[in-house]
Amino acid sequence: MAECYSQNPNLKTISNEAGMSVTVMDWGATLVSIKVPAGEKEPREILLGVKDPAQWSTQACFFNATIGRYANRIANSNFNANGKNYVLNSGAQHCLHGGLDGFDKRRFTFSDEGPNYLVLTLHSPDGDQGFPGNFDLTVKFALSEDNCLTMSYTATCDQTCPACITNHAYFNLNGKNSSILGHTLRLNSDKFLELDDLSIPTGRVLSVKDHPAFDFTTAKTVGQDFMNDEQMKAALGYDHPYLYEGKSSEAAVEAISEDGKLKLEVFTDYPAFQFYSGNYIHAGDPIIARDDGQEYANQSGMCFEPEFYPDAPHLDAFKDVNPQVSPDKPLQRFISYKFTALD
Protein backbone atom coordinates (compact mmCIF):
# COMPACT_ATOMS: atom_id res chain seq x y z
CA MET A 1 0.00 0.00 0.00
CA ALA A 2 3.03 2.26 0.20
CA GLU A 3 2.29 3.79 -3.22
CA CYS A 4 -1.49 3.91 -3.04
CA TYR A 5 -1.78 7.69 -3.12
CA SER A 6 0.56 7.93 -6.10
CA GLN A 7 -1.76 5.51 -7.86
CA ASN A 8 -4.88 7.68 -7.77
CA PRO A 9 -7.15 6.25 -5.08
CA ASN A 10 -10.87 6.38 -5.71
CA LEU A 11 -13.11 7.70 -2.94
CA LYS A 12 -16.90 7.60 -2.97
CA THR A 13 -19.39 8.95 -0.44
CA ILE A 14 -22.89 7.78 0.46
CA SER A 15 -25.32 9.65 2.67
CA ASN A 16 -28.85 9.66 4.05
CA GLU A 17 -31.55 12.23 4.70
CA ALA A 18 -30.71 12.27 8.42
CA GLY A 19 -27.35 13.91 7.71
CA MET A 20 -25.01 10.93 8.11
CA SER A 21 -22.32 10.34 5.48
CA VAL A 22 -19.78 7.57 4.85
CA THR A 23 -16.72 7.82 2.59
CA VAL A 24 -15.00 4.68 1.31
CA MET A 25 -11.65 4.36 -0.47
CA ASP A 26 -10.94 1.56 -2.95
CA TRP A 27 -7.51 0.90 -1.43
CA GLY A 28 -8.25 -1.63 1.28
CA ALA A 29 -12.00 -1.03 0.93
CA THR A 30 -11.23 1.47 3.67
CA LEU A 31 -13.65 3.63 5.62
CA VAL A 32 -12.04 7.05 5.29
CA SER A 33 -14.81 8.94 7.11
CA ILE A 34 -18.03 8.40 9.04
CA LYS A 35 -19.82 11.61 9.97
CA VAL A 36 -22.82 11.27 12.28
CA PRO A 37 -25.39 13.82 13.52
CA ALA A 38 -24.91 14.33 17.26
CA GLY A 39 -27.15 17.32 17.96
CA GLU A 40 -24.47 19.81 16.93
CA LYS A 41 -24.13 22.29 14.08
CA GLU A 42 -22.10 19.87 11.97
CA PRO A 43 -22.09 16.06 11.91
CA ARG A 44 -19.42 14.55 14.13
CA GLU A 45 -16.45 12.67 12.59
CA ILE A 46 -16.11 9.50 14.66
CA LEU A 47 -13.27 7.69 12.83
CA LEU A 48 -9.57 8.28 13.26
CA GLY A 49 -7.99 9.64 10.08
CA VAL A 50 -4.73 11.14 8.86
CA LYS A 51 -3.88 14.81 8.25
CA ASP A 52 -1.64 14.04 5.27
CA PRO A 53 -3.41 11.70 2.82
CA ALA A 54 -0.06 10.05 2.05
CA GLN A 55 -0.10 8.64 5.60
CA TRP A 56 -2.91 6.26 4.65
CA SER A 57 -0.16 4.34 2.84
CA THR A 58 2.46 4.46 5.60
CA GLN A 59 0.50 4.01 8.84
CA ALA A 60 0.76 0.46 10.19
CA CYS A 61 -2.41 0.39 12.30
CA PHE A 62 -4.77 -0.97 9.60
CA PHE A 63 -6.84 2.22 9.97
CA ASN A 64 -10.49 1.47 9.11
CA ALA A 65 -9.59 -1.09 6.41
CA THR A 66 -11.18 -4.33 5.26
CA ILE A 67 -9.07 -7.17 6.65
CA GLY A 68 -8.42 -10.53 4.97
CA ARG A 69 -7.92 -13.26 4.01
CA TYR A 70 -7.86 -14.01 7.72
CA ALA A 71 -8.45 -11.30 10.30
CA ASN A 72 -6.45 -11.47 13.53
CA ARG A 73 -3.76 -14.09 14.09
CA ILE A 74 -2.77 -17.51 12.79
CA ALA A 75 -0.11 -19.09 15.01
CA ASN A 76 3.27 -19.95 13.52
CA SER A 77 2.09 -18.67 10.13
CA ASN A 78 0.87 -22.05 8.94
CA PHE A 79 -2.18 -24.29 8.90
CA ASN A 80 -3.42 -27.56 7.40
CA ALA A 81 -6.13 -27.78 4.75
CA ASN A 82 -6.83 -29.93 1.70
CA GLY A 83 -4.44 -32.55 3.11
CA LYS A 84 -1.51 -30.11 2.96
CA ASN A 85 0.37 -27.72 5.18
CA TYR A 86 0.34 -24.11 4.03
CA VAL A 87 3.01 -21.60 5.09
CA LEU A 88 1.92 -17.97 5.09
CA ASN A 89 3.82 -14.88 3.97
CA SER A 90 3.60 -13.12 7.31
CA GLY A 91 7.07 -11.67 7.81
CA ALA A 92 6.83 -12.74 11.45
CA GLN A 93 6.41 -15.81 13.62
CA HIS A 94 2.64 -15.40 13.67
CA CYS A 95 0.50 -14.18 10.79
CA LEU A 96 -1.53 -11.03 11.51
CA HIS A 97 -4.46 -9.79 9.39
CA GLY A 98 -3.66 -11.81 6.29
CA GLY A 99 0.08 -11.35 5.99
CA LEU A 100 2.53 -8.80 4.65
CA ASP A 101 0.29 -7.91 1.73
CA GLY A 102 -3.16 -8.38 3.19
CA PHE A 103 -6.43 -7.08 1.78
CA ASP A 104 -5.94 -3.77 3.58
CA LYS A 105 -3.14 -3.08 1.05
CA ARG A 106 -5.10 -4.04 -2.10
CA ARG A 107 -7.02 -1.94 -4.56
CA PHE A 108 -10.61 -3.15 -4.63
CA THR A 109 -12.92 -2.45 -7.58
CA PHE A 110 -16.09 -0.41 -7.19
CA SER A 111 -18.58 -2.68 -8.99
CA ASP A 112 -21.91 -1.07 -8.10
CA GLU A 113 -23.20 2.00 -6.31
CA GLY A 114 -26.26 3.99 -5.39
CA PRO A 115 -27.09 6.99 -3.19
CA ASN A 116 -26.94 4.83 -0.04
CA TYR A 117 -24.75 1.87 -0.96
CA LEU A 118 -21.37 0.92 -2.44
CA VAL A 119 -20.18 -2.49 -3.62
CA LEU A 120 -16.50 -3.41 -3.93
CA THR A 121 -14.90 -6.62 -5.18
CA LEU A 122 -11.48 -8.22 -4.95
CA HIS A 123 -9.93 -11.34 -6.50
CA SER A 124 -7.23 -13.11 -4.49
CA PRO A 125 -5.49 -15.80 -6.59
CA ASP A 126 -4.49 -19.29 -5.50
CA GLY A 127 -1.35 -19.06 -3.34
CA ASP A 128 -1.85 -15.40 -2.44
CA GLN A 129 0.13 -14.81 0.79
CA GLY A 130 0.32 -18.61 1.04
CA PHE A 131 -3.44 -19.21 1.20
CA PRO A 132 -4.96 -21.88 -1.05
CA GLY A 133 -7.58 -21.39 -3.73
CA ASN A 134 -8.94 -18.64 -5.93
CA PHE A 135 -10.82 -16.40 -3.51
CA ASP A 136 -13.37 -13.81 -4.62
CA LEU A 137 -14.70 -11.27 -2.13
CA THR A 138 -17.61 -8.85 -2.38
CA VAL A 139 -18.03 -6.13 0.24
CA LYS A 140 -21.22 -4.06 0.35
CA PHE A 141 -21.51 -0.88 2.41
CA ALA A 142 -25.15 0.13 2.91
CA LEU A 143 -26.41 3.13 4.88
CA SER A 144 -29.96 3.19 6.27
CA GLU A 145 -32.09 6.21 7.10
CA ASP A 146 -31.80 5.42 10.82
CA ASN A 147 -28.01 5.91 10.75
CA CYS A 148 -26.96 2.28 10.53
CA LEU A 149 -24.01 1.33 8.33
CA THR A 150 -23.98 -2.35 7.38
CA MET A 151 -21.04 -4.12 5.76
CA SER A 152 -21.98 -7.41 4.11
CA TYR A 153 -19.22 -9.85 3.16
CA THR A 154 -19.69 -12.60 0.59
CA ALA A 155 -16.75 -14.74 -0.52
CA THR A 156 -16.19 -17.92 -2.50
CA CYS A 157 -13.12 -20.11 -2.87
CA ASP A 158 -12.47 -23.05 -5.18
CA GLN A 159 -10.49 -24.84 -2.44
CA THR A 160 -11.07 -25.25 1.29
CA CYS A 161 -9.48 -22.29 3.05
CA PRO A 162 -9.76 -20.48 6.39
CA ALA A 163 -11.17 -17.02 5.79
CA CYS A 164 -12.30 -14.24 8.09
CA ILE A 165 -13.15 -10.79 6.77
CA THR A 166 -13.69 -7.88 9.13
CA ASN A 167 -13.35 -4.11 9.33
CA HIS A 168 -10.66 -2.47 11.47
CA ALA A 169 -12.46 0.80 12.21
CA TYR A 170 -10.88 2.98 14.90
CA PHE A 171 -13.69 4.80 16.70
CA ASN A 172 -13.52 7.90 18.84
CA LEU A 173 -17.08 9.04 19.47
CA ASN A 174 -15.82 12.26 21.07
CA GLY A 175 -15.33 13.55 17.53
CA LYS A 176 -11.82 14.90 18.17
CA ASN A 177 -8.29 13.77 18.87
CA SER A 178 -8.65 12.60 22.47
CA SER A 179 -8.45 9.55 24.71
CA ILE A 180 -11.15 6.88 24.48
CA LEU A 181 -10.68 5.84 28.11
CA GLY A 182 -13.60 8.05 29.15
CA HIS A 183 -16.06 6.33 26.81
CA THR A 184 -18.73 4.25 28.51
CA LEU A 185 -18.78 0.69 27.21
CA ARG A 186 -21.06 -2.32 27.55
CA LEU A 187 -20.10 -5.65 25.95
CA ASN A 188 -22.70 -8.35 25.43
CA SER A 189 -20.38 -11.18 26.43
CA ASP A 190 -19.35 -12.86 29.65
CA LYS A 191 -16.48 -14.93 28.20
CA PHE A 192 -13.23 -14.17 26.44
CA LEU A 193 -10.25 -16.17 25.19
CA GLU A 194 -7.07 -16.37 27.22
CA LEU A 195 -4.05 -15.18 25.21
CA ASP A 196 -0.36 -15.94 25.59
CA ASP A 197 2.34 -13.25 25.59
CA LEU A 198 2.20 -13.04 21.77
CA SER A 199 -1.61 -12.69 21.67
CA ILE A 200 -2.22 -16.28 20.53
CA PRO A 201 -5.20 -18.06 22.15
CA THR A 202 -4.19 -20.80 24.58
CA GLY A 203 -7.50 -22.63 24.03
CA ARG A 204 -8.84 -21.65 27.44
CA VAL A 205 -12.10 -19.74 27.74
CA LEU A 206 -12.13 -17.31 30.67
CA SER A 207 -15.12 -15.88 32.50
CA VAL A 208 -15.27 -12.13 33.01
CA LYS A 209 -16.55 -12.84 36.52
CA ASP A 210 -13.08 -14.22 37.30
CA HIS A 211 -11.43 -11.26 35.57
CA PRO A 212 -13.40 -8.16 36.62
CA ALA A 213 -11.29 -5.81 34.52
CA PHE A 214 -12.71 -7.56 31.44
CA ASP A 215 -16.28 -7.45 32.70
CA PHE A 216 -18.32 -4.97 30.66
CA THR A 217 -21.63 -6.79 31.09
CA THR A 218 -22.61 -3.74 33.13
CA ALA A 219 -21.62 -0.47 31.49
CA LYS A 220 -18.46 1.24 32.76
CA THR A 221 -15.77 3.49 31.34
CA VAL A 222 -13.01 1.90 29.29
CA GLY A 223 -10.44 3.33 31.68
CA GLN A 224 -12.05 2.23 34.94
CA ASP A 225 -10.09 -1.03 35.20
CA PHE A 226 -7.48 -0.37 32.53
CA MET A 227 -4.31 -2.47 33.05
CA ASN A 228 -5.79 -4.12 36.17
CA ASP A 229 -5.39 -7.70 34.95
CA GLU A 230 -2.40 -9.89 34.05
CA GLN A 231 -3.99 -10.57 30.66
CA MET A 232 -3.49 -6.92 29.71
CA LYS A 233 0.22 -6.71 30.41
CA ALA A 234 1.53 -8.20 27.16
CA ALA A 235 -1.09 -6.37 25.06
CA LEU A 236 -0.64 -3.07 26.96
CA GLY A 237 -4.39 -2.92 27.42
CA TYR A 238 -7.47 -4.55 25.96
CA ASP A 239 -6.81 -6.58 22.80
CA HIS A 240 -8.88 -9.71 23.36
CA PRO A 241 -11.58 -11.76 21.65
CA TYR A 242 -14.95 -11.81 23.38
CA LEU A 243 -17.27 -14.73 22.59
CA TYR A 244 -20.64 -13.83 21.16
CA GLU A 245 -22.05 -16.94 19.48
CA GLY A 246 -25.79 -17.03 18.87
CA LYS A 247 -26.57 -13.41 19.76
CA SER A 248 -26.67 -11.73 16.35
CA SER A 249 -30.08 -10.14 17.00
CA GLU A 250 -28.62 -8.32 20.02
CA ALA A 251 -25.95 -5.62 20.01
CA ALA A 252 -22.51 -7.05 20.68
CA VAL A 253 -21.22 -3.65 21.73
CA GLU A 254 -22.72 -0.45 23.09
CA ALA A 255 -20.35 2.52 23.40
CA ILE A 256 -21.21 6.07 24.45
CA SER A 257 -19.02 9.14 23.95
CA GLU A 258 -17.45 10.83 26.94
CA ASP A 259 -19.84 13.78 26.61
CA GLY A 260 -22.83 11.43 26.53
CA LYS A 261 -24.12 12.76 23.20
CA LEU A 262 -23.54 9.83 20.84
CA LYS A 263 -24.05 6.07 21.08
CA LEU A 264 -22.61 3.33 18.86
CA GLU A 265 -24.06 -0.19 18.74
CA VAL A 266 -22.31 -3.02 16.87
CA PHE A 267 -24.27 -5.98 15.48
CA THR A 268 -22.82 -9.04 13.75
CA ASP A 269 -23.37 -12.72 12.98
CA TYR A 270 -19.72 -13.60 13.67
CA PRO A 271 -19.21 -15.72 16.82
CA ALA A 272 -16.67 -13.35 18.42
CA PHE A 273 -15.41 -9.78 18.39
CA GLN A 274 -12.00 -8.38 19.27
CA PHE A 275 -12.04 -5.39 21.59
CA TYR A 276 -8.85 -3.39 21.04
CA SER A 277 -8.18 -0.21 22.99
CA GLY A 278 -5.64 1.24 20.52
CA ASN A 279 -2.59 0.33 22.55
CA TYR A 280 -0.06 0.59 19.71
CA ILE A 281 -1.30 3.58 17.73
CA HIS A 282 1.80 5.52 18.77
CA ALA A 283 4.19 2.58 18.64
CA GLY A 284 5.66 3.34 15.21
CA ASP A 285 6.09 6.51 13.21
CA PRO A 286 3.81 9.25 14.57
CA ILE A 287 0.39 9.42 12.93
CA ILE A 288 -0.82 13.00 12.59
CA ALA A 289 -4.52 13.47 13.31
CA ARG A 290 -6.58 15.10 10.58
CA ASP A 291 -8.56 17.33 12.95
CA ASP A 292 -5.89 19.10 14.98
CA GLY A 293 -2.56 18.21 13.36
CA GLN A 294 -1.26 16.63 16.57
CA GLU A 295 0.11 13.12 16.99
CA TYR A 296 -2.33 10.40 17.89
CA ALA A 297 -1.47 8.91 21.28
CA ASN A 298 -2.14 5.35 22.34
CA GLN A 299 -5.80 4.86 23.33
CA SER A 300 -6.96 7.61 20.98
CA GLY A 301 -9.17 5.13 19.15
CA MET A 302 -10.84 1.80 19.91
CA CYS A 303 -11.76 -1.09 17.65
CA PHE A 304 -14.52 -3.69 17.78
CA GLU A 305 -13.58 -6.31 15.18
CA PRO A 306 -16.27 -8.99 14.64
CA GLU A 307 -14.62 -12.21 13.53
CA PHE A 308 -14.11 -15.92 13.89
CA TYR A 309 -11.85 -16.90 16.77
CA PRO A 310 -8.21 -15.85 16.37
CA ASP A 311 -6.05 -18.80 15.33
CA ALA A 312 -9.23 -20.79 14.57
CA PRO A 313 -7.35 -23.14 12.18
CA HIS A 314 -5.54 -24.53 15.25
CA LEU A 315 -8.48 -24.51 17.69
CA ASP A 316 -10.13 -27.83 16.89
CA ALA A 317 -12.36 -27.66 19.97
CA PHE A 318 -14.20 -24.68 18.44
CA LYS A 319 -14.26 -25.65 14.76
CA ASP A 320 -18.06 -25.85 14.67
CA VAL A 321 -18.34 -22.07 15.15
CA ASN A 322 -15.39 -21.22 12.89
CA PRO A 323 -16.25 -22.71 9.47
CA GLN A 324 -13.77 -22.61 6.62
CA VAL A 325 -14.74 -21.45 3.16
CA SER A 326 -15.06 -24.23 0.59
CA PRO A 327 -16.53 -24.60 -2.91
CA ASP A 328 -19.89 -25.56 -1.39
CA LYS A 329 -19.75 -23.28 1.68
CA PRO A 330 -19.21 -19.61 0.86
CA LEU A 331 -18.48 -16.97 3.48
CA GLN A 332 -21.52 -14.83 4.26
CA ARG A 333 -21.28 -12.48 7.25
CA PHE A 334 -22.31 -8.96 8.23
CA ILE A 335 -21.23 -6.16 10.56
CA SER A 336 -23.49 -3.20 11.40
CA TYR A 337 -22.61 0.08 13.12
CA LYS A 338 -25.74 1.80 14.45
CA PHE A 339 -25.43 5.40 15.69
CA THR A 340 -27.88 7.29 17.90
CA ALA A 341 -27.75 10.91 19.06
CA LEU A 342 -28.63 11.00 22.76
CA ASP A 343 -29.39 14.73 23.13
Side-chain angles (χ1 to χ4, degrees), residues 5 27 50 56 83 94 151 196 205 226 242 284 287-288 305 307 310:
Y5 263 83
W27 280 99
V50 298
W56 283 110
H94 304 307
M151 292 156 292
D196 68 14
V205 176
F226 194 72
Y242 282 77
I287 301 174
I288 306 304
E305 304 158 60
E307 60 189 17

Side-chain angles (χ1 to χ4, degrees), residues 267-285:
F267 297 84
T268 186
D269 56 355
Y270 272 117
F273 60 89
Q274 187 92 353
F275 169 40
Y276 173 50
S277 51
N279 313 318
Y280 290 91
I281 293 173
H282 200 264
D285 292 336

Side-chain angles (χ1 to χ4, degrees), residues 66-121:
T66 296
I67 304 298
R69 278 194 201 187
Y70 201 92
N72 216 311
R73 292 159 176 84
I74 296 179
N76 298 310
S77 299
N78 76 87
F79 61 87
N80 292 318
N82 307 302
K84 296 171 57 178
N85 182 258
Y86 293 90
V87 177
L88 302 176
N89 180 25
S90 67
Q93 179 182 355
H94 304 307
C95 186
L96 175 64
H97 293 331
L100 286 175
D101 187 25
F103 290 0
D104 62 294
K105 300 175 181 68
R106 307 295 178 86
R107 186 195 286 273
F108 284 65
T109 299
F110 282 105
S111 61
D112 193 12
E113 62 182 283
N116 65 350
Y117 73 90
L118 297 166
V119 179
L120 297 95
T121 59

Side-chain angles (χ1 to χ4, degrees), residues 188 244-252 265-269 334:
N188 190 1
Y244 177 66
E245 182 188 1
K247 299 179 180 178
S248 60
S249 63
E250 306 170 15
E265 296 171 284
V266 181
F267 297 84
T268 186
D269 56 355
F334 80 89

Side-chain angles (χ1 to χ4, degrees), residues 12 21 70 166 193 244 260:
K12 295 181 182 289
S21 64
Y70 201 92
T166 195
L193 295 184
Y244 177 66

Side-chain angles (χ1 to χ4, degrees), residues 27-41:
W27 280 99
T30 297
L31 287 165
V32 172
S33 170
I34 298 179
K35 294 181 179 179
V36 184
E40 300 160 332
K41 183 177 180 181

